[in-house]
Structures are given as C-alpha cells and as structure tokens.
Amino acid sequence: MFFFKYTSQAFSDWFFQQGLQAAGWATAAIAKTWINEILFADMESIQVPTLIIHAIHDKVVPFQLGEIQHKMIRSSMLVPLEFSGHGSFYEISGMDSRKQCEKCINIAYFRLLEIRIDF
C-alpha cells in the first residue's frame, strides 16, 4: 500500500520495523489533529507561489488531494509523480528518477515565476 514499485522482502521487512519503532503516542497525537482539523478553510488565502508534488499512485494520501489543493491555491503548480506511491522518497532514489524530479522542479520554478501575484 505504501509503495507503488516492487520492493524486496528484506526492504519491506526493514521498512515495517521502522514503523514499529515510531512512538505510538506520537502517531495517536497526529491522528487526533486530523480529527480536529478543519481542512481547506484557509487554503484560498495562500498567495505565495506554491509547488505541490504528489504521486499519482499514492494510496495513503490520494492524488485527488493534490488536485484539490492545486485548485484552491491560486498561484500553485501541481507536479504529478507518475511512477511512485506514498513512498516517493524511496521510489525516486534512482539517478533517472532524480533527474526527472529535478527537471519537474526546475520547470515548476520557472512557471511559478511567471504567475502574477497581487498583494
């Protein structure tokens, strides 16, 4: 569920153990903030150029959330990661993926410079 690409059993076991080492109280505290949070209430007031990078195969935080954020933040740009799930930080570790990400970020940066922002 966390990764889009195949991961070896050894890597999967290691990653699972990392999750078990996280403090349970911290995980519970984060979940509590999600319950009490009023999502999207102030998103339309964001006026700075915003780059949203989101994986299209993310099953933990669906890609649709990135699309909603992009629609609500006037000066935003959405860069979809095509071959990644929620574990993008591991799945883009190859040199080709890094170059692809760097290219997307550079394109986004220059497009965001073109957006006119009225303060």
Side-chain angles (χ1 to χ4, degrees), residues 67-106:
E67 293 176 315
I68 291 167
Q69 291 171 328
H70 176 53
K71 287 178 186 174
M72 295 185 77
I73 300 173
R74 183 175 57 134
S75 57
S76 70
M77 179 179 183
L78 175 61
V79 176
L81 298 178
E82 295 182 44
F83 304 106
S84 181
H86 194 71
S88 299
F89 48 95
Y90 286 107
E91 293 182 303
I92 63 170
S93 62
M95 196 52 144
D96 289 340
S97 297
R98 275 192 205 156
K99 287 180 182 178
Q100 180 184 7
C101 261
E102 288 173 8
K103 181 179 176 182
C104 288
I105 291 169
N106 285 333

Side-chain angles (χ1 to χ4, degrees), residues 6-21:
Y6 168 79
T7 57
S8 69
Q9 188 61 48
F11 179 81
S12 182
D13 292 344
W14 172 82
F15 190 77
F16 181 73
Q17 290 301 317
Q18 295 299 309
L20 292 178
Q21 291 179 20

